[in-house]
Amino acid sequence: MIPFTVIGGFLGAGKTTLLNRLLGEAVDRRFAVLVNDFGALDIDSRLVTAHGGDTLALANGCLCCTIGDSLVTTLLDLLERADRFDHIVVEASGVADPGRIADLAALEPRLQRDGVIVLVDAAEVRERAADRRLTDTIERQIRSADLLILNKVDLVTDPGGDSGADLAALRDWLYRQSQAPLFEACRAAVPMGLLFGLDRLGITADAPPSADFASWSYTWREPVPRQALTDLLHDAQRGVLRAKGIVRFDDSPDRRSIVHLVGRRIEIRDGGPWGDSPRGDTPDSRLVLLGLKPVLGCLKRQ
Amino acid sequence: MTTTVYSARRILTMNPSQPFASHVAVRDGRILGTGSLDQLKGWGKFDLDDRFRDKVILPGFVEGHSHAFEGGVWKYPYVGYFDRISPEGKRFKGLKNIDEVVAALAVHEKTLPKGTSLLAWGFDPIYFGGRRMDRGDLDKVSTERPVVVIHSNFHVANANSPVLAKANITRDTNVHGIVKDAAGEPTGELQEMAAKFMAYRAAGVELSAVLSDKEAIWRFARVAQLAGVTTATDLHNDLPESTVDGYLQATQSADFPIRILPAFAAGSVAPAEGVPRLQGLMKKNNERLRFQLVKIVTDGSIQGLSARMRWPGYYDGTPNGVWNIGPDDIDRILLAYHKAGFQVHIHTNGDEASEVAIEAVERALAAAPRWDHRHTLQHAQMADAGQFRRMKALGMCANLFANHLFYWGDIHYAKTLGPERAERMDACGTALATGVPFAIHCDAPVTPIGPLFTAWCAVNRLTASGRTLGEAEKISVADALRAITLGAAYTLKLDEELGSIDVGKRADFAILDDDPLQVAPDKLKDVGVWGTVLGGRIFEAPRA
């Protein structure tokens, strides 16, 4: 199954900047990125290996497609070439509800819904959301987020003034609308591993993405109480940005449960019986968490 | 240089200095003159053609808002509630309950090769007294072949069990657009993006091509021509190379029966790319094909509850609809095409969308003053008198969705808009009173193409249940006939070339069996169309 990520956020929130980073930094994975407009992307022409109408192929294996008039047909066309990429990222339009786009993954067995990442322009969002024609559009986007990126915080954090209070008020406003973890950034600088996972499977334990983040892996020999684990993940949602693992739950010890968390969204699906693995692995539960250092520190002590 | 003079029972010219005539002279595909035979004799030698002597001649009808997609969907069976005429002129009887739909699909299913999907369109359950179709119904058509029935609004579809199974849609699938029954099982009804995705998925990726290839364009032209149309728009198209090729091939044929104006979908690429592309396409224009229009789609539809509404919003309390292109982008895109000299057609169903579009035009004019831009609100279904006054002041036009009154008027009265706003929707009377140049339209394939029916809607304002929706907004038959000819031509900036029977204009006629000014206004839709004349070439319609 191909991981499917949707990047949302109102006009000017930094979606294109984020996608430029993704395309520039992608090394071990071939992303297919569906964008509204090639023109806005900042792609070094020397890295373009092929340009055919609606598609650009890059030297690092990534593909860029313009969505044109219909996301549905663009996506279905892309899936005809599913062997050429490892992860699909869709740039939602500035007024679209990215959650609705992510729903497509539920209709397509080849897709695995990964996350809805919504960028928010720290300097502008309150004013834009106060416009009655845009209020509901912007609030829907924020409510759809699995992970929120509060972008351009440098524009509201001025140590000389009292705008630190603005940032605190902004955080409160976002928290009132969404349970999603909030990640603060300037110029959409977010470790890509946090947004898209560190490898094709999701995340790995041994690649600390940056100084502020930590990863933590855990192995249980005994069956894991389902309720306890989901409660723990729910509690930690605002600090755990991703989790991935195969767990043997106490209520279904004979089957693998695949746990996948992106931001506030936890998905647990059946991974088949333990016995049928060609590697004959032991039924140990393994879970890898990735998140903000202080939060993970607390978890570790529990 | 041959001249043909046609006699007629009566000619309605739309030319106020000579509104009626008995004869029209045609030379080189253009109108040489109208009047009596005596008045035309001075032009020299002519052939007198009496074949229309019992007929009534009008300017060829101009459909200002339709989609060539109408020709695309006729590739598939029509299963709607109302009768509909196919491109071949065959009358498809309306199917009056779900069992009739299932029976028709079962017959069609037997004609399909193994391994293909069955797609059908035009289905509308709102007339079935609350009963919805479910997958059980469609499983009677086939339990092996994927079956998808697309509703007349093109935003909802029904699927059978194989379609759901192939996509792993079960009771555990919790996403928007998958309708479930009381027991939590998916019923097979799919809405919005889910409907579109599953229809394309079932049909395969070739569906896009089938819906817009050369054959589809031909079918669209034929359906339009049967209704007396000589000029029609394809009012929202990405215009990929394959579609442009299809257009060029189809319109190069002298047998192609209409003039067609595709409107470039301005939201599909950035204006910096779109403007030169459209300028390039205009160099390929021919007598039957005109690239010149630009379209911006702002909101959704009222019946789909996706139109952007001003306060107080939907009558039944449904939350406000969605922007397809938001206010900032409307400004940006409009300004770019406005500056480049294009006329822009802006889809606005809800009144908030109309407000945003009007203000965008106002800002564009302040930034780059232009005369006679004729930017046109398309649908403008909820525009009120104040918005019409602003449109007039800014030099804008409106193309109102009169057919909507009949097909969805009852729903708007009871649920979406409530009585008061439903009675003033598609306000032709207000457009006339405020002096906003206007046309009326069908939005085919959403409703069938048929300008006389559209005119009937604007004149009578009757809903499907027989309710008169807004006495005050009715217009006269003469005004309605103008709206489907010269009025529509004006909104396309073609009124100096088309839309009336006047010296020097193209010889494009609708040939009618009766005189629409003589029949009772409530019989306007029943006036028969004998055929059309396009640039002097005669196209007789097969009788349905």
Side-chain angles (χ1 to χ4, degrees):
Chain A
M1 290 209 290
I2 304 162
F4 184 70
T5 300
V6 182
I7 310 283
F10 194 70
L11 194 71
K15 298 188 293 294
T16 303
T17 311
L18 183 71
L19 291 174
N20 279 328
R21 284 187 186 277
L22 171 65
L23 291 169
E25 292 175 22
V27 280
D28 57 346
R29 242 184 315 174
R30 299 165 305 167
F31 286 90
V33 182
L34 275 58
V35 298
N36 294 299
D37 174 13
F38 276 156
L41 290 176
D42 173 30
I43 297 173
D44 185 338
S45 59
R46 285 167 300 183
L47 298 179
V48 175
T49 53
H51 188 174
D54 302 334
T55 305
L56 284 177
L58 305 185
N60 60 5
C62 292
L63 286 175
C64 254
C65 308
T66 49
I67 292 168
D69 194 29
S70 168
L71 173 63
V72 163
T73 51
T74 308
L75 183 60
L76 285 168
D77 276 349
L78 187 69
L79 286 169
E80 295 290 300
R81 300 170 276 167
D83 56 320
R84 291 173 55 188
F85 49 84
D86 310 308
H87 193 130
I88 296 177
V89 179
V90 175
E91 178 198 17
S93 91
V95 289
D97 178 348
R100 292 284 172 87
I101 296 172
D103 282 350
L104 288 175
L107 310 176
E108 175 50 71
R110 287 173 285 182
L111 296 178
Q112 156 84 37
R113 186 193 198 279
D114 195 58
V116 173
I117 297 160
V118 173
L119 290 117
V120 174
D121 181 338
E124 299 270 344
V125 68
R126 294 296 297 275
E127 193 186 329
R128 303 316 304 274
D131 180 342
R132 65 176 164 80
R133 297 155 171 183
L134 300 175
T135 310
D136 57 334
T137 300
I138 291 173
E139 288 181 359
R140 274 176 211 173
Q141 291 175 345
I142 291 169
R143 283 199 300 272
S144 285
D146 297 329
L147 241 168
L148 279 168
I149 298 174
L150 184 59
N151 195 23
K152 308 188 186 180
V153 287
D154 49 328
L155 301 183
V156 288
T157 334
D158 175 11
D162 59 355
S163 46
D166 291 350
L167 190 57
L170 190 52
R171 283 188 201 116
D172 282 349
W173 181 73
L174 289 168
Y175 279 149
R176 279 200 299 278
Q177 300 188 57
S178 169
Q179 295 300 303
L182 182 65
F183 187 90
E184 293 174 15
C186 308
R187 287 170 294 283
V190 187
M192 293 299 139
L194 285 178
L195 302 183
F196 305 104
L198 294 176
D199 65 19
R200 292 177 193 196
L201 300 172
I203 53 178
T204 53
D206 47 25
S210 86
D212 297 333
F213 304 103
S215 64
W216 173 50
S217 70
Y218 201 88
T219 307
W220 294 275
R221 307 239 49 169
E222 296 303 312
V224 177
R226 183 187 292 265
Q227 198 60 44
L229 183 67
T230 51
D231 285 352
L232 179 78
L233 290 174
H234 275 294
D235 281 350
Q237 269 179 352
R238 285 199 166 151
V240 178
L241 302 178
R242 296 189 76 92
K244 180 108 186 173
I246 299 174
V247 176
R248 185 178 170 212
F249 280 120
D250 54 351
D251 56 5
S252 53
D254 300 334
R255 299 185 74 82
R256 291 187 189 84
S257 294
I258 297 173
V259 176
H260 185 81
L261 177 148
V262 180
R264 70 180 170 104
R265 189 167 187 278
I266 302 169
E267 186 182 288
I268 299 172
R269 63 189 165 84
D270 181 48
W274 282 104
D276 71 352
S277 163
R279 287 172 291 152
D281 50 1
T282 52
D284 290 350
S285 299
R286 279 193 77 234
L287 190 69
V288 183
L289 306 182
L290 200 65
L292 303 171
K293 228 172 204 169
V295 176
L296 288 191
C298 293
L299 282 179
K300 223 163 189 169
R301 281 194 294 275
Q302 284 179 357
Chain B
M1 187 183 74
T2 60
T3 302
T4 306
V5 172
Y6 295 97
S7 62
R9 187 191 333 166
R10 186 150 88 134
I11 300 171
L12 312 186
T13 67
M14 302 294 153
N15 167 17
S17 70
Q18 178 154 268
F20 308 109
S22 60
H23 292 76
V24 56
V26 175
R27 180 186 288 172
D28 294 338
R30 299 168 75 184
I31 296 159
L32 189 61
T34 61
S36 66
L37 188 58
D38 266 355
Q39 288 169 321
L40 295 171
K41 272 180 175 161
W43 286 109
K45 189 171 164 300
F46 63 88
D47 299 323
L48 182 64
D49 189 327
D50 274 334
R51 78 176 81 194
F52 302 139
R53 66 180 176 277
D54 298 329
K55 306 293 175 193
V56 175
I57 301 181
L58 266 71
F61 298 144
V62 178
E63 175 51 70
H65 190 148
S66 53
H67 300 276
F69 189 54
E70 164 87 14
V73 293
W74 274 112
K75 175 95 176 173
Y76 304 97
Y78 168 73
V79 292
Y81 181 81
F82 297 100
D83 291 7
R84 193 148 173 158
I85 311 290
S86 78
E88 295 76 34
K90 184 178 163 207
R91 177 177 290 274
F92 275 75
K93 292 297 283 180
L95 303 172
K96 300 302 182 188
N97 56 54
I98 287 170
D99 293 336
E100 284 186 28
V101 173
V102 168
L105 291 172
V107 170
H108 181 73
E109 199 272 339
K110 307 261 182 299
T111 68
L112 296 175
K114 257 198 159 52
T116 59
S117 301
L118 192 170
L119 245 67
W121 63 284
F123 179 65
D124 203 338
I126 67 175
Y127 305 105
F128 296 158
R131 197 186 147 203
R132 306 294 284 188
M133 181 180 264
D134 62 29
R135 63 199 158 95
D137 294 313
L138 292 183
D139 287 347
K140 287 183 216 153
V141 178
S142 177
T143 51
E144 281 157 29
R145 188 192 301 279
V147 177
V148 177
V149 175
I150 298 160
H151 292 213
S152 65
N153 58 22
F154 292 94
H155 290 275
V156 181
N158 279 90
N160 66 347
S161 297
V163 172
L164 301 183
K166 257 173 104 175
N168 281 345
I169 294 175
T170 66
R171 58 181 298 122
D172 298 326
T173 308
N174 290 314
V175 299
H176 180 82
I178 305 289
V179 177
K180 292 182 180 168
D181 61 21
E185 292 294 332
T187 66
E189 184 170 315
L190 310 162
Q191 300 171 342
E192 298 297 332
M193 194 133 64
K196 186 169 181 185
F197 189 80
M198 298 304 285
Y200 273 89
R201 203 175 179 281
V205 285
E206 66 276 10
L207 181 61
S208 299
V210 168
L211 290 175
S212 65
D213 62 7
K214 189 178 112 185
E215 293 310 312
I217 293 163
W218 266 99
R219 286 192 297 268
F220 172 61
R222 289 201 182 99
V223 168
Q225 185 267 327
L226 296 174
V229 171
T230 52
T231 297
T233 52
D234 176 16
L235 207 70
H236 191 255
N237 198 313
D238 268 16
L239 298 177
E241 221 170 291
S242 57
T243 302
V244 171
D245 286 346
Y247 269 126
L248 290 169
Q249 285 175 34
T251 57
Q252 265 151 22
S253 164
D255 291 332
F256 192 74
I258 62 168
R259 303 184 201 283
I260 192 160
L261 288 91
F264 181 59
S268 62
V269 296
E273 191 185 326
V275 166
R277 185 142 140 227
L278 188 52
Q279 285 164 337
L281 286 172
M282 287 171 72
K283 298 199 176 91
K284 302 182 179 197
N285 283 352
N286 63 45
E287 280 195 10
R288 285 173 289 268
L289 177 64
R290 304 296 172 83
F291 294 104
Q292 63 185 52
L293 307 179
V294 174
K295 173 90 175 279
I296 300 176
V297 178
T298 65
D299 66 343
S301 71
I302 308 173
Q303 73 274 27
L305 302 168
S306 52
R308 286 297 306 189
M309 312 273 281
R310 286 192 302 194
W311 190 87
Y314 287 101
Y315 191 50
D316 65 359
T318 301
N320 208 347
V322 294
W323 293 108
N324 255 299
I325 296 180
D328 303 83
D329 283 330
I330 294 169
D331 263 29
R332 183 175 57 82
I333 296 169
L334 177 77
L335 183 62
Y337 286 94
H338 171 86
K339 275 186 170 167
F342 286 103
Q343 184 199 16
V344 183
H345 292 260
I346 313 168
H347 157 121
T348 64
N349 266 313
D351 50 2
E352 186 178 73
S354 290
E355 178 183 273
V356 164
I358 289 167
E359 288 175 6
V361 170
E362 192 165 9
R363 277 189 287 271
L365 284 167
R370 241 183 88 189
W371 287 263
D372 202 25
H373 52 82
R374 299 192 209 180
H375 298 319
T376 300
L377 291 193
Q378 292 288 341
H379 304 322
Q381 296 208 74
M382 292 185 66
D384 64 7
Q387 292 186 331
F388 275 100
R389 287 192 293 272
R390 288 182 87 179
M391 288 159 67
K392 171 66 180 170
L394 294 169
M396 298 174 70
C397 305
N399 189 357
L400 303 169
F401 196 171
N403 283 20
H404 211 91
L405 297 164
F406 176 79
Y407 288 102
W408 288 283
D410 290 316
I411 293 270
H412 294 324
Y413 188 93
K415 283 172 79 173
T416 58
L417 301 180
E420 186 177 358
R421 289 178 298 171
E423 294 209 323
R424 68 154 167 76
M425 68 186 303
D426 295 296
C428 299
T430 300
L432 208 56
T434 48
V436 173
F438 75 101
I440 49 180
H441 69 266
C442 68
D443 198 17
V446 176
T447 75
I449 192 164
L452 285 173
F453 178 85
T454 305
W456 173 86
C457 289
V459 167
N460 297 284
R461 296 183 67 91
L462 283 170
T463 68
S465 76
R467 178 192 295 281
T468 299
L469 205 59
E471 194 68 40
E473 293 295 346
K474 286 183 175 177
I475 57 173
S476 70
V477 173
D479 285 328
L481 293 177
R482 190 178 188 282
I484 59 173
T485 54
L486 195 57
Y490 187 88
T491 66
L492 303 174
K493 290 200 164 187
L494 290 175
D495 55 302
E496 288 181 276
E497 180 184 340
L498 311 168
S500 65
I501 303 178
D502 201 349
V503 180
K505 285 189 150 181
R506 294 189 182 273
D508 291 359
F509 308 135
I511 312 294
L512 307 184
D513 293 334
D514 273 310
D515 188 336
L517 289 177
Q518 304 286 335
V519 302
D522 65 339
K523 297 282 184 275
L524 188 55
K525 67 181 168 61
D526 305 319
V527 171
V529 175
W530 179 89
T532 56
V533 174
L534 187 83
R537 195 182 177 94
I538 293 167
F539 292 89
E540 183 174 357
R543 288 280 140 162

